[in-house]
Amino acid sequence: ASSLAAGCGARVAAYVRLMPPKQLQVQQQQQNPQVLPAKEANLFKTALKFYNGKKYKKGLRSVDQILVKFPKHAETLGIKALVLNSLDRMEEAHVAAREGIKSDVRSFVCWHALGVLHRTEHNYPEASKCFRTALRFDERNDRILRDLNLLQVMMRDYTGYIDTRRKFLEQRPSLRANWIGLITAYHLSGNNQVALKTILTYEDSIQPVAEPEFEHGELLLYKNLIIEQMGDMSAAIEDLNKCERLVIDKTQHQEIMGRLTHQAGRFEYAEKIWRDLIFKNSEHYAYHQALILTRSRIPYGQGLPDLKLPATPYDRKASLPHLNDDQVATLESVYDDLAGAYPRSNLVKRVPLTFTRGESFKRRLLAYIVPYLRKGIPSLFGDLKALYTDKDKVAAIEEVALACETSLRTNRSLPLKQDKEGEQESPSSMLWTLFFLAQHYDRLEQHDKAFKYLEEALNHTPTVIELHMFKARIYKHAGNLALAAEAFDSARKMDFADRYLNTKTTLYLLRADKPTEADRMIGLFTKEGENPVIYLAEMQACRYELEKAESFYRTGQYGLALKMLKAIDKHFVDIRDDETDFHGYCLRRGALRAYYRMVEFEDDLFSQPYYVRMAKGFVRTYLALHTKPAAPKAAEIDEYAGMSEIERKKAISKKKREDARKQVPEPKAKGKGPKGKQLPEAKPDPDPFGEALATIPDTLKEASKYITTLKLSVPKDVEVHILACDLYARRQKYLLVLNSLRKLAKFVSSDPAAYRAQMFSLHTLHKVLEAGGVTHPEVRQVIESEIRDICGGKTLAQMHEAHMAQGPLTPHLRTVGAEVSVLLDPSCAPAQGAGLVDMVATANTYKDCVSAYGLLQHTIANPATTDAFQKACHKKFPQATLFAPPQASSSETR
């Protein structure tokens, strides 16, 4: 049988050799439809060149020419899917990729193309499945391995990431990047011991390095970081000493050594290192923080945040741990010596103000501020603002500043004057002293005194821009945002070329709820000929978009608010996607510690202040829309009258999308680019007022997405759990309400807003149980058990009485107490309203009365009481426009 088969095979081969080439190609195509003839194969190569050269339209024409004759050729369909993906024609791309898989389920090109499509749509789990399937049919394809490797680290699938990195190393063990990739994979997964072992294996496999090199030095410092994270400080110090000769950045080497020796408890050696670093740069605040801790023999990690790599930036807000008298005396002696060694260093004079007390503090403060007042440094108050957390220091600052004012008024000289006797100060010294006092009293919420000193300073020198800027700030703190915007605009007009003034004026206009004027103002400094809103969106100006969204929210324009918030959300999605560019780059460049910090930053991306503020804005806006849904137009009401609410909203949204497609014209040429080229005009926005966002069927479900992210990203944020209680109660997710109440429990005693959320949520749960709203017996049992645990066997009225008797009755707590009392017993509303009127006398700022005013207007709803409260607030806070009588003119408000 074998000999017969061999003979048949020989005859077939001979027949094939004698067959004409064209006939051979036809027969091969019939036997295997995935084999292209020579002409189409060349056309396929051309299409690949066009795709790699980003000439997508030409590439699409090439693949279409092939598919006319061979519509089931899988690899051509896969390339077509990639080309359509690059042309942003996603639906057609998915169809092409799936058709290719149907034609040849073993085609790695089609599976790879489908994975790329899913990756473009941020569907990373499905993309990973497709890449894994493609590797089953082509295990050694570097391109697919790289894409899968990138996707795994993006998904933080470190187990799969390690396997993929190991495959790279097995294929090319001589390539340094493959070793580095596996080392970082182990480190990111938390397997520090294996990461260290891999580094040592790599070091043994290369030639010893004789001269310092950046990449090798970075690897050594990265190895030292891994040893430090393993907790063996002695080994880390020993390793750092060994690699000192090969590290180029000696300053960073010293910073690491200072931190390690501090953690190891070797205070004297650490103190010497930080002194050496201060000698190099006496204006680096982190060095002074570390010197204070090591000289005071305070263990690492107590009081100040860790000094990471590179050392923490200049941060005067960080407070020192409590120091005893002996430690303070020692530090005073240290800084007296440093002042003699570095007489020109401002920071050496500033740092002692953070730990000194009493007369020593006053003496040092006077010596510090007098040169600033004499030279006219406007940022003096901003420099000292961090000290205002200590009441004794606030009183000392006021005493010293008033002493300077008195000395200038009587002798026309500042204290500690070292000039010739009889020589007087420059008149500008009085100006900056008045300015400092105005800022001081504004910080203390004493706006009348602040205005008095500011007006005197303006009369002294009316052309100083900083005075007009600060006038706007006082108006803002006093509650008159309209006059604040007007005052800042006056400052801006004094220097039209100042971008900072223009930007701050824009922000003040947005806070005064004047978005149209703000757009015009910010447009003065944006790119000429472009819409400023579109330009700022491209520049990812989150602060402008946040302020604008909050302005729209305050004025009830929820669609526009959601549109601005959605733009910010897109910025963070883009930032997350941009992470892909750095994984390969950092490993190639050898910047391993920077790469590690980048991954840490991306892991904490959704805890960034702008994102947290944006996500909270989404939740508030959707809650407001749930309370008062966006009303459709009259024509739409008639057209969809027979539909349910959900069906009607879906139909409206669909009709708007269809109308938008019909109305979008072809892009027209507009303006000229930098090289004289015509620029295309941007397509009009299909939803300019955010109506589609405001009319989604289930606003609460959409809000839940952001709450879930916030609870994971910022679990210690009180406001997140307060919003979660409200949201889950509306969604009737009562177990989730209890979960949020558990998180709020530790904040209730100190935060009136948390206490209010707790009481309102418990009251809601009580009502639901009484009405039989929970039918499942086990769920009902859990809710009742949790409520008993939270209440401690007390009724809500008893809990409220005990809570109000615990702490000092601040205006905020009194307002919350009145609101909870009315909730539990509506008949007490008149008495609670009268109590709020009396509360005005104890309020420190107008903000203390804002929530109480809203409570009187909407809950207690007693016109006489509300009017009395408004008059009392207007008398105490005349600048606050919220409490101004309706007939008050702008001049009276002034």
Side-chain angles (χ1 to χ4, degrees), residues 702-892:
E702 193 68 22
S704 297
K705 299 177 183 177
Y706 292 96
I707 276 292
T708 303
T709 303
L710 288 174
K711 289 174 72 176
L712 293 172
S713 303
V714 282
K716 296 182 180 180
D717 192 318
V718 183
E719 191 178 2
V720 170
H721 300 299
I722 293 173
L723 290 171
C725 286
D726 188 4
L727 174 63
Y728 293 139
R730 297 189 192 207
R731 294 194 68 193
Q732 300 179 5
K733 306 285 186 181
Y734 301 120
L735 293 179
L736 291 176
V737 173
L738 289 171
N739 178 267
S740 297
L741 285 177
R742 283 287 184 186
K743 302 289 178 62
L744 276 177
K746 57 185 176 183
F747 302 108
V748 166
S749 60
S750 59
D751 192 331
Y755 172 67
R756 177 189 180 278
Q758 182 192 59
M759 296 301 292
F760 269 71
S761 299
L762 290 173
H763 183 266
T764 300
L765 292 173
H766 275 293
K767 291 293 184 183
V768 169
L769 292 175
E770 290 174 2
V774 181
T775 57
H776 197 288
E778 293 182 359
V779 175
R780 184 182 182 89
Q781 184 179 357
V782 170
I783 293 175
E784 290 175 347
S785 174
E786 287 292 321
I787 289 177
R788 284 194 301 270
D789 190 16
I790 294 173
C791 296
K794 299 179 182 178
T795 64
L796 292 182
Q798 291 171 339
M799 280 183 64
H800 179 52
E801 183 179 355
H803 184 83
M804 296 302 292
Q806 283 179 359
L809 289 178
T810 62
H812 191 187
L813 181 58
R814 290 184 66 174
T815 303
V816 169
E819 189 172 5
V820 173
S821 298
V822 173
L823 174 72
L824 300 177
D825 182 12
S827 63
C828 71
Q832 295 297 331
L836 291 177
V837 175
D838 296 336
M839 179 201 74
V840 176
T842 62
N844 294 321
T845 70
Y846 85 97
K847 293 180 182 178
D848 293 336
C849 303
V850 171
S851 56
Y853 191 41
L855 176 63
L856 288 169
Q857 285 181 312
H858 305 297
T859 304
I860 296 178
N862 187 324
T865 306
T866 305
D867 186 55
F869 182 87
Q870 180 184 4
K871 289 180 179 177
C873 289
H874 180 60
K875 183 177 180 181
K876 185 162 187 179
F877 309 109
Q879 290 293 338
T881 54
L882 178 65
F883 308 118
Q887 68 274 14
S889 64
S890 60
S891 60
E892 290 173 343

Side-chain angles (χ1 to χ4, degrees), residues 610-629:
Y610 280 143
Y611 183 87
V612 173
R613 193 170 156 190
M614 176 274 297
K616 290 178 182 177
F618 259 116
V619 176
R620 290 194 203 96
T621 308
Y622 279 130
L623 289 175
L625 283 170
H626 179 261
T627 304
K628 185 180 179 182

Side-chain angles (χ1 to χ4, degrees), residues 421-597:
E421 187 176 353
E423 188 173 340
Q424 297 179 339
E425 293 284 352
S426 168
S428 64
S429 299
M430 186 65 183
L431 168 69
W432 298 111
T433 303
L434 295 171
F435 182 47
F436 181 86
L437 283 167
Q439 292 173 297
H440 168 78
Y441 286 116
D442 176 65
R443 178 75 177 185
L444 300 181
E445 302 288 351
Q446 299 179 27
H447 301 304
D448 292 338
K449 287 187 177 181
F451 271 119
K452 173 188 170 185
Y453 279 105
L454 183 64
E455 289 298 330
E456 185 176 354
L458 283 168
N459 292 332
H460 185 285
T461 311
T463 56
V464 176
I465 296 178
E466 285 79 7
L467 299 180
H468 294 270
M469 292 165 55
F470 187 66
K471 186 176 184 179
R473 192 174 182 83
I474 299 178
Y475 276 130
K476 181 186 75 170
H477 293 162
N480 197 328
L481 297 176
L483 278 182
E486 182 182 328
F488 222 107
D489 191 43
S490 300
R492 180 191 67 86
K493 291 176 181 177
M494 298 176 73
D495 187 358
F496 287 106
D498 194 319
R499 187 186 293 269
Y500 172 79
L501 293 174
N502 176 269
T503 304
K504 289 293 288 186
T505 304
T506 302
L507 293 178
Y508 271 69
L509 287 169
L510 289 173
R511 289 168 185 163
D513 298 330
K514 298 178 180 180
T516 305
E517 296 181 30
D519 290 344
R520 179 185 58 80
M521 188 66 62
I522 200 67
L524 297 176
F525 275 85
T526 55
K527 196 171 181 179
E528 187 176 357
E530 287 196 14
N531 186 330
V533 179
I534 297 174
Y535 179 79
L536 291 171
E538 292 174 353
M539 295 294 105
Q540 297 184 343
C542 291
R543 186 178 183 185
Y544 166 80
E545 291 168 331
L546 268 174
E547 293 285 354
K548 196 171 184 180
E550 290 170 357
S551 174
F552 285 137
Y553 174 79
R554 288 191 296 267
T555 55
Q557 302 177 68
Y558 299 133
L560 290 171
L562 290 171
K563 191 172 179 63
M564 288 288 106
L565 293 171
K566 199 68 178 178
I568 303 167
D569 193 14
K570 184 179 181 301
H571 298 336
F572 279 88
V573 172
D574 292 342
I575 292 171
R576 187 62 187 267
D577 291 342
D578 289 343
E579 177 189 336
T580 58
D581 299 332
F582 291 92
H583 288 291
Y585 174 80
C586 288
L587 297 182
R588 287 195 306 272
R589 299 295 297 173
L592 302 181
R593 292 176 303 144
Y595 173 69
Y596 181 67
R597 290 196 300 271

Side-chain angles (χ1 to χ4, degrees), residues 25-98:
Q25 291 175 2
V26 172
Q27 184 170 339
Q28 288 176 343
Q29 180 65 29
Q30 290 174 351
Q31 293 174 354
N32 185 3
Q34 301 305 323
V35 177
L36 291 175
K39 179 181 178 182
E40 281 72 18
N42 290 331
L43 199 57
F44 182 81
K45 293 178 181 177
T46 304
L48 278 177
K49 288 181 181 178
F50 284 141
Y51 175 72
N52 292 327
K54 299 184 179 181
K55 299 177 181 179
Y56 303 121
K57 291 185 179 180
K58 291 183 178 180
L60 184 59
R61 285 196 292 268
S62 299
V63 295
D64 283 339
Q65 290 177 31
I66 300 172
L67 292 173
V68 168
K69 294 183 180 180
F70 305 101
K72 298 297 182 181
H73 188 254
E75 293 187 359
T76 305
L77 288 167
I79 298 300
K80 182 178 181 179
L82 293 174
V83 172
L84 290 170
N85 172 54
S86 302
L87 292 172
D88 201 20
R89 294 159 61 176
M90 298 302 299
E91 293 183 7
E92 299 174 57
H94 274 285
V95 171
R98 295 187 185 281

Side-chain angles (χ1 to χ4, degrees), residues 219-487:
L219 179 61
L220 294 175
L221 292 179
Y222 187 64
K223 179 179 72 172
N224 187 263
L225 176 64
I226 294 174
I227 297 172
E228 178 188 352
Q229 292 181 352
M230 291 170 65
D232 191 348
M233 296 305 149
S234 299
I237 293 170
E238 182 181 355
D239 176 76
L240 196 62
N241 281 324
K242 288 180 181 178
C243 68
E244 180 178 5
R245 183 180 61 83
L246 298 175
V247 174
I248 293 177
D249 192 343
K250 301 300 182 184
T251 299
Q252 206 161 89
H253 182 276
Q254 280 186 286
E255 291 173 356
I256 300 171
M257 183 62 78
R259 188 182 69 245
L260 292 176
T261 51
H262 190 182
Q263 291 182 76
R266 297 166 60 176
F267 293 110
E268 293 182 1
Y269 188 32
E271 180 187 347
K272 179 180 181 301
I273 292 172
W274 294 117
R275 282 179 178 271
D276 292 342
L277 287 169
I278 289 174
F279 175 76
K280 290 183 177 180
N281 183 5
S282 63
E283 299 295 334
H284 199 308
Y285 196 66
Y287 297 165
H288 290 276
Q289 290 176 331
L291 177 62
I292 291 171
L293 294 178
T294 52
R295 189 67 183 87
S296 302
R297 304 300 187 257
I298 297 174
Y300 184 81
Q302 292 187 14
L304 294 175
D306 295 349
L307 300 178
K308 295 184 179 180
L309 295 175
T312 52
Y314 192 94
D315 181 14
R316 291 180 176 171
K317 294 181 181 179
S319 58
L320 288 167
H322 179 73
L323 303 174
N324 58 41
D325 293 339
D326 293 338
Q327 290 172 325
V328 171
T330 302
L331 289 174
E332 284 194 72
S333 175
V334 168
Y335 272 89
D336 287 339
D337 295 340
L338 290 175
Y342 312 105
R344 297 177 64 86
S345 173
N346 291 323
L347 200 52
V348 168
K349 302 182 184 71
R350 168 64 178 83
V351 168
L353 299 180
T354 59
F355 56 78
T356 52
R357 298 185 281 266
E359 293 301 322
S360 176
F361 174 79
K362 292 180 186 178
R363 174 174 55 80
R364 292 178 182 274
L365 176 67
L366 183 61
Y368 184 72
I369 70 170
V370 163
Y372 279 78
L373 296 176
R374 182 174 292 137
K375 294 177 181 178
I377 307 297
S379 59
L380 173 60
F381 181 80
D383 186 13
L384 300 177
K385 193 162 53 175
L387 302 175
Y388 275 66
T389 55
D390 188 328
K391 292 183 179 179
D392 294 334
K393 291 186 177 181
V394 171
I397 290 171
E398 182 172 344
E399 181 182 340
V400 171
L402 290 174
C404 291
E405 179 201 7
T406 303
S407 178
L408 285 169
R409 291 187 188 279
T410 55
N411 305 322
R412 296 191 64 183
S413 65
L414 286 165
L416 301 179
K417 188 170 179 64
Q418 299 175 354
D419 296 338
K420 296 179 180 179
E421 187 176 353
E423 188 173 340
Q424 297 179 339
E425 293 284 352
S426 168
S428 64
S429 299
M430 186 65 183
L431 168 69
W432 298 111
T433 303
L434 295 171
F435 182 47
F436 181 86
L437 283 167
Q439 292 173 297
H440 168 78
Y441 286 116
D442 176 65
R443 178 75 177 185
L444 300 181
E445 302 288 351
Q446 299 179 27
H447 301 304
D448 292 338
K449 287 187 177 181
F451 271 119
K452 173 188 170 185
Y453 279 105
L454 183 64
E455 289 298 330
E456 185 176 354
L458 283 168
N459 292 332
H460 185 285
T461 311
T463 56
V464 176
I465 296 178
E466 285 79 7
L467 299 180
H468 294 270
M469 292 165 55
F470 187 66
K471 186 176 184 179
R473 192 174 182 83
I474 299 178
Y475 276 130
K476 181 186 75 170
H477 293 162
N480 197 328
L481 297 176
L483 278 182
E486 182 182 328

